[in-house]
Amino acid sequence: MNGATTMTATIDYGVTMSMRDGAGLRADLWRPAGPGPHPAVLIRTPYGRSLFNADALRPEHCVRRGYACIVQDARGTGDSGGDWAPFQWDQEALDTFDSVEWVAAQPWCDGNVAMAGASYLGIVQWLGAAARPPHLRAVAPGMHSSGELERAASGGAVRLNQLVYWLALTTLEWARYRRQAGHAVDPAVDAAMLALLEDPTPAVLRLPLDAMPQFDIPGLPVDLRAVLAGTAGLPPRYEYERVAVPTLSLGGWYDIYCSATIAAFQAMARAQPDAGHRLIIGPWSHDGHLPGVQGQRNFGPAGYAGFADVPGRHLAFFDEHLKGRRADPVPAVQYFLMGADEWRTADSWPPRTSRSETWYLASRGDARTASGNGRLVREPGVSEAVQDVLCHDPEDPVPSHGGRVASMGRLVGGPLDRRGVEARSDVLCYTGERLDRALDVVGAVTVRLFAATSARDADFAVKLVDVAPDGTALPVAEGLLRARYREGIDAAEPVEPDVTYEYRVDLGDTAWRFHAGHRIRLEIAGSDFPQFDRNAGTGAPIGTDTEVLAARHRIFHNRVSPSSVTCDVDRE
């Protein structure tokens, strides 16, 4: 070990942590320079411990507060031993258990251990907490999801751009590790993965999707067909009932896992209402850096994790559960109200002051494009026409643009002006009247659609949009539903062409102020690509289509079929 001492911390690089099967996982250990032992924060990452630099909580934040901090390379990554596989969730649960107990047994630790980190780093916390390591006292998982929550949030579609990008990134790491272990890996693998990182679009346009040649690599532990079919890849359902420690969930309104993060908090709060579970959710997208500038909006100083003291909020949570210190009562929920650009608190989510309000779709028969005659009205059936027609061509899908997308490949998340997308003839727009006073949407947004399609399956990609007086249209919340999953994400039901069904599209949660003079808009499209895989319209299993079918979708809005959007509105 190579130790370096500063005035505040001692850092030991390359510490070996032994797992039950003999694998040695390597970590960097940060310790306060003062007398110990100390409580400890464990961070486990597959992305290289030397690259860890998350704004929510870093090792230097921990040592300044009197915590040791251990940043570990996960099994088979970085300098750690063992074999890597991209979806080794059972092994991650075991390694997390063993890592917590290894830390607790060290002379510099007082036996109290917490965990922190976002995305993959958050997933392993849930898996490890469910295994119940005796010395784990609290976890702070950020921007995470699980199998059932992710499938529900994506409406049964596949987050294709993110999947291919992540597989390319981890395949590069696999190739590096294999070469380091003395195995031959064709250099063309690196070139192919770098091309995917540059732009996954050419790969995700191919048919059939599950035969993507870039991942047909000897020895690569990835079964793309199983991943697309939903039988591999996503983490398993978290066993919330087995998580016996307090949790602090960190999320972002423009994070792809926003809905899943909130759902996990709500599940824990219901199961253990007195355990002190917390939720912090800011204006951020899926990124370890949490700046106040997202998309084309600057949410002001309060939008920055550092300015808002997100690290301090984590450490106060750990102080309570690892040191027994609790100064002032802390509300269960701290959320950022975009538009007002300020932090608010609540004792639950959504806040108890929020109430549901509904707007109904209406038109004179042509809601295509933002300049069409689609409207949002307060009464159902107030419409000169009973339907609007949406033509969907999978060969020319509606492009992903802003919103809850991971900024990977060529995509950029956050609030980006959607006027270019709304000008397409295959996008329906329903716009409300100008608001005479500000309206805060704080909580869930759901859409009820009565629709029929000429195809054997269809996607309904729906977005709630804030339209400013100058016409700028920024996405606020969004969701997608694949028609075959209209009865539930685990109950695929074929679609009968040209038969009207009722669809419930979950747009997740938000906290957004629509200012006076602005208008509320609902967008409906048949695709959101490459964020999600294209619906070929055949009804075949995902990834197996060899052809695509153009389709004609009909959206109904009358008293019999009152398509609508419902928002939680805080009028406190």
Side-chain angles (χ1 to χ4, degrees):
M1 294 185 296
N2 178 23
T5 303
T6 69
M7 292 182 62
T8 58
T10 297
I11 308 173
D12 295 321
Y13 297 103
V15 175
T16 299
M17 303 171 64
S18 298
M19 303 294 103
R20 67 185 67 187
D21 64 352
L25 307 190
R26 305 297 288 275
D28 293 340
L29 165 62
W30 298 56
R31 287 178 289 158
H38 305 281
V41 178
L42 171 65
I43 298 168
R44 303 190 60 243
T45 176
Y47 304 123
R49 68 184 191 274
S50 64
L51 301 177
F52 181 79
N53 189 27
D55 284 354
L57 190 67
R58 295 195 294 269
E60 55 266 37
H61 298 138
C62 296
V63 295
R64 288 172 186 159
R65 192 73 160 244
Y67 289 88
C69 185
I70 306 90
V71 184
Q72 178 204 81
D73 286 330
R75 177 179 294 259
T77 69
D79 295 329
S80 287
D83 294 325
W84 173 86
F87 308 113
Q88 54 185 5
W89 305 123
D90 291 342
Q91 186 63 58
E92 289 289 20
L94 296 175
D95 286 348
T96 301
F97 183 105
D98 292 350
S99 297
V100 168
E101 293 307 297
W102 185 93
V103 170
Q106 303 309 303
W108 42 261
C109 180
D110 67 2
N112 295 292
V113 183
M115 294 189 69
S119 195
Y120 192 105
L121 290 65
I123 291 171
V124 298
Q125 291 178 64
W126 284 107
L127 297 173
R132 294 191 173 183
H135 292 89
L136 185 65
R137 303 288 182 253
V139 294
M143 298 183 174
H144 56 81
S145 189
S146 68
E148 83 286 1
L149 294 178
E150 174 58 3
R151 292 186 67 229
S154 60
V158 174
R159 290 192 194 274
L160 193 57
N161 188 79
Q162 177 205 0
L163 172 66
V164 172
Y165 187 97
W166 189 81
L167 285 176
L169 190 67
T170 50
T171 298
L172 274 176
E173 175 67 9
W174 169 84
R176 183 197 68 81
Y177 201 84
R178 291 281 289 177
R179 293 189 185 104
Q180 183 175 296
H183 300 282
V185 179
D186 189 340
V189 169
D190 300 65
M193 295 306 108
L194 290 171
L196 288 177
L197 295 178
E198 177 72 18
D199 186 6
T201 307
V204 298
L205 277 169
R206 67 163 288 114
L207 295 174
L209 194 58
D210 64 4
M212 200 177 297
Q214 288 91 336
F215 297 109
D216 186 12
I217 304 168
L220 181 68
V222 172
D223 185 344
L224 186 61
R225 288 182 174 84
V227 173
L228 292 173
T231 58
L234 293 172
R237 176 192 177 276
Y238 302 141
E239 297 180 274
Y240 298 112
E241 64 279 4
R242 287 195 51 79
V243 176
V245 297
T247 62
L248 185 159
S249 293
L250 176 74
W253 293 126
Y254 285 100
D255 177 34
I256 53 174
Y257 296 144
C258 177
S259 295
T261 300
I262 291 173
F265 162 76
Q266 291 172 324
M268 294 303 300
R270 286 193 301 268
Q272 303 167 5
D274 299 321
H277 299 293
R278 308 263 176 81
L279 173 67
I280 299 173
I281 189 157
W284 311 301
S285 56
H286 194 80
D287 190 348
H289 301 291
L290 306 174
V293 176
Q294 298 289 331
Q296 63 189 66
R297 277 293 305 272
N298 187 332
F299 291 107
Y304 288 82
F307 191 95
D309 195 21
V310 172
R313 300 185 198 192
H314 277 73
L315 291 166
F317 176 73
F318 291 155
D319 284 349
E320 179 180 347
H321 299 293
L322 278 74
K323 297 181 177 180
R325 300 176 184 171
R326 184 174 181 180
D328 299 317
V330 178
V333 179
Q334 300 174 75
Y335 68 95
F336 190 86
L337 178 59
M338 297 176 290
D341 297 346
E342 61 188 24
W343 287 90
R344 300 285 182 89
T345 61
D347 59 2
S348 64
W349 187 264
R352 301 186 193 281
T353 52
S354 291
R355 297 291 182 268
S356 294
E357 295 192 15
T358 298
W359 291 263
Y360 295 89
L361 278 59
S363 80
R364 295 194 299 274
D366 189 1
R368 292 175 299 173
T369 79
S371 60
N373 50 49
R375 309 191 311 281
L376 290 178
V377 297
R378 286 295 193 171
E379 297 295 328
V382 182
S383 184
E384 294 87 336
V386 298
Q387 69 179 30
D388 287 298
V389 175
L390 172 64
C391 293
H392 166 62
D393 182 3
E395 295 282 10
D396 182 24
V398 175
S400 303
H401 183 72
R404 288 178 184 151
V405 305
S407 297
M408 300 173 175
R410 295 295 180 176
L411 296 187
V412 177
L416 294 181
D417 191 354
R418 293 188 56 81
R419 280 181 287 184
V421 176
E422 292 175 346
R424 291 174 57 111
S425 62
D426 53 356
V427 178
L428 302 181
C429 294
Y430 299 88
T431 308
E433 297 294 331
R434 295 188 187 276
L435 296 170
D436 57 7
R437 60 191 178 102
L439 179 74
D440 292 346
V441 175
V442 181
V445 181
T446 57
V447 168
R448 187 185 182 200
L449 287 184
F450 292 87
T453 178
S454 62
R456 293 188 285 276
D457 197 13
D459 285 353
F460 298 101
V462 186
K463 300 184 189 296
L464 185 72
V465 177
D466 181 347
V467 184
D470 67 359
T472 302
L474 300 182
V476 174
E478 62 191 68
L480 181 144
L481 179 63
R482 186 148 288 178
R484 73 179 80 172
Y485 296 113
R486 65 194 178 279
E487 298 298 333
I489 208 64
D490 295 316
E493 293 286 341
V495 171
E496 194 70 31
D498 295 317
V499 171
T500 302
Y501 297 98
E502 180 179 345
Y503 299 97
R504 183 185 183 277
V505 187
D506 183 359
L507 274 60
D509 294 73
T510 192
W512 181 278
R513 172 164 292 175
F514 289 83
H515 287 280
H518 288 226
R519 294 175 293 165
I520 299 172
R521 174 174 293 160
L522 197 72
E523 279 183 29
I524 304 174
S527 51
D528 185 352
F529 180 82
Q531 159 83 326
F532 296 103
D533 65 303
R534 296 174 294 167
N535 194 319
T538 66
I542 293 174
T544 64
D545 288 293
T546 57
E547 62 176 355
V548 296
L549 303 176
R552 180 175 179 268
H553 308 330
R554 291 179 291 156
I555 308 298
F556 296 95
H557 40 73
N558 53 42
R559 292 193 180 277
V560 177
S561 303
S563 295
S564 61
V565 54
T566 299
C567 303
D568 285 341
V569 173
D570 190 346
R571 292 190 179 276
E572 184 183 24

